Amino acid sequence: MTRNEFINRLKQGLVGLPASSIADIVADHEAHFEDGIAAGRSEAEVAAALGDPDRLARELKAEIGLKKWEDVKTPSSAVTAIFAVLGLGALDILVLLPILMGVAGTLVGFFMAAIGVFIAGGVLFAAGPFLGLPGGIAAAMLGGVGLMAAAVTLAALTGVVTVWLVNGLVWFARLHYRLLKPALEPQAA
Amino acid sequence: MAETIDIQLKKGVLGLCVLALLARNESYSYEIASTLSDAIGMGEGTIYPLMRRMQSDGWVETRLVESSSGPSRKYYRLTKAGHEALAAQATEWRGFARAVDALLDAAPSETTQEG
């Protein structure tokens, strides 16, 4: 493989990362080729010693994805981390995907329920006093506030569980990934 | 089978080797990769994900050094946390190696007794 082929395949594998990260990684590998050639090796020799660019790209991508989740706990970084983990192939996607879908569906359901209850609470609070419900105005308004508070609690708990689940997944993947570290395998084998 | 054990061993100690190398003096990734490739036969490409992980763990920091030939080079050096990680892992490794050595030393005498 020539230097250009290697760098191009690496770049292809890194698609989806921020441009600055890609530039950084490509610069590292370009420098590696420069140093290797300066040491009297051919492009093909350096490329062979580096290993499979697709696999290197997957590992680098996973490392960055997991780091992002550790830095900021946002829904988008959770999605990035999960896809980085799946991209590694360390976990069997066929086994994991149905479970993930189920868990994600349940969590979304809880969030939707929380939103629904919150709206119901709001309606009861705002409109309740005019509907002439049994118990009077105060009961309707307090009931509304109570429902809204319950909804916020439900949403917060769901959020905590989500963060905890993604953390667990990241931990699990890191563990496997460190054990696997596939680029170490001799390329000849 | 022998090869599998070989790979497993290398995987376990690669991080420790990089820490030990950087504890002696700061270095750039090509130098780290080629030294370790010669010493323990690791794939050179492994160094980049590893250095990135060590950097995000706060074990190494980088600085750019102007090079006489070509673009400036990224040098890695150990942080305080990196030195601490090295000390902890080195102790663990030495204890482990001693235990394995002790077992290996005991093994041949037993086989000669039997044979």
Side-chain angles (χ1 to χ4, degrees):
Chain A
M1 198 186 318
T2 67
R3 174 178 172 166
N4 278 338
E5 278 168 7
F6 184 94
I7 297 291
N8 282 337
R9 274 176 59 189
L10 187 69
K11 271 188 199 160
Q12 266 167 30
L14 294 172
V15 165
L17 288 180
S20 62
S21 299
I22 297 181
D24 214 31
I25 291 166
V26 168
D28 277 346
H29 289 81
E30 292 276 15
H32 197 94
F33 273 98
E34 293 288 344
D35 287 331
I37 288 157
R41 296 159 83 190
S42 72
E43 286 187 6
E45 279 169 346
V46 177
L50 276 173
D52 179 6
D54 302 330
R55 201 153 63 179
L56 291 175
R58 277 202 297 276
E59 281 201 33
L60 287 159
K61 214 171 172 176
E63 191 52 44
I64 290 169
L66 301 189
K67 180 68 172 58
K68 195 175 155 207
W69 165 252
E70 281 174 357
D71 287 347
V72 280
K73 308 263 190 268
T74 63
S76 90
S77 75
V79 170
T80 312
I82 289 169
F83 274 99
V85 168
L86 294 178
L88 267 180
L91 309 175
D92 195 338
I93 190 164
L94 289 177
V95 173
L96 201 65
L97 205 57
I99 301 172
L100 270 183
M101 298 290 260
V103 171
T106 310
L107 289 174
V108 169
F110 271 111
F111 270 117
M112 294 314 242
I115 293 169
V117 171
F118 188 86
I119 291 170
V123 169
L124 186 60
F125 177 77
F130 309 106
L131 294 177
L133 294 173
I137 292 171
M141 288 180 77
L142 282 176
V145 171
L147 274 182
M148 284 194 281
V152 171
T153 310
L154 179 62
L157 280 177
T158 312
V160 168
V161 170
T162 309
V163 167
W164 180 76
L165 277 175
V166 176
N167 272 340
L169 188 68
V170 166
W171 171 82
F172 184 73
R174 268 255 167 89
L175 194 69
H176 275 241
Y177 165 41
R178 281 176 195 220
L179 293 176
L180 287 171
K181 248 185 250 163
L184 262 171
E185 288 159 27
Q187 292 305 308
Chain B
M1 190 61 204
E3 199 176 78
T4 323
I5 292 172
D6 195 36
I7 293 168
Q8 295 298 331
L9 281 177
K10 285 175 193 170
K11 276 178 200 169
V13 296
L14 185 60
L16 173 60
C17 293
V18 172
L19 288 175
L21 207 63
L22 288 176
R24 271 188 276 165
N25 43 37
E26 59 175 357
S27 183
Y28 53 98
S29 37
Y30 183 83
E31 198 176 60
I32 303 171
S34 51
T35 309
L36 290 183
S37 172
D38 290 346
I40 61 170
M42 59 159 261
E44 287 180 18
T46 319
I47 201 71
Y48 295 101
L50 184 65
M51 292 322 291
R52 215 156 250 280
R53 194 177 316 139
M54 287 193 163
Q55 211 175 338
S56 53
D57 286 346
W59 290 358
V60 298
E61 55 192 8
T62 61
R63 70 188 181 105
L64 286 174
V65 176
E66 293 298 324
S67 156
S68 50
S69 61
S72 49
R73 223 172 225 156
K74 190 157 72 178
Y75 274 81
Y76 293 92
R77 70 177 156 211
L78 283 196
T79 60
K80 194 167 168 286
H83 280 287
E84 282 161 11
L86 171 60
Q89 288 189 18
T91 311
E92 218 173 298
W93 168 257
R94 292 217 172 93
F96 176 72
R98 246 199 315 275
V100 174
D101 278 346
L103 285 170
L104 290 179
D105 288 343
S109 62
E110 247 174 59
T111 36
T112 38
Q113 272 166 14
E114 277 168 10

